[in-house]
Amino acid sequence: KQGIVVAGGQGSGDDLTQLSNPRGVFVDELNTLYVADGGNRRIMRWSKEAAQGCVIAGGNDSGGKSNQLNNPVGLSFDRHG
């Protein structure tokens, strides 16, 4: 019935508490939240007690390098995480 804001609400930006055009959300069995942050070209993760997120993929502008994403739009995980 009640939630908490872990990101967003501070306008667009690439700070660890901001999102820009989020396009996918996933919560795993440990209540870890993952967000495809399309505008910032990154995948973010918040553990259950986290005050701010951490970048787990991307966040290095768009491009073809292995550490770059171009507007991620969704998330999916298999049974092994």
Side-chain angles (χ1 to χ4, degrees):
K1 294 184 179 185
Q2 184 176 349
I4 60 167
V5 176
V6 295
Q10 297 94 13
S12 293
D14 62 359
D15 189 70
L16 294 177
T17 59
Q18 293 177 295
L19 298 172
S20 178
N21 200 15
R23 296 187 172 193
V25 175
F26 182 83
V27 179
D28 70 11
E29 67 278 352
L30 300 173
N31 291 323
T32 302
L33 174 70
Y34 298 86
V35 175
D37 186 6
N40 289 321
R41 299 170 177 92
R42 64 189 182 179
I43 305 297
M44 298 288 295
R45 174 181 65 202
W46 287 265
S47 59
K48 188 174 179 180
E49 301 298 326
Q52 67 181 20
C54 66
V55 178
I56 62 169
N60 300 301
D61 213 2
S62 63
K65 296 181 181 174
S66 62
N67 66 345
Q68 294 177 308
L69 298 174
N70 189 16
N71 298 318
V73 295
L75 299 166
S76 94
F77 291 80
D78 66 11
R79 63 184 168 156
H80 302 290

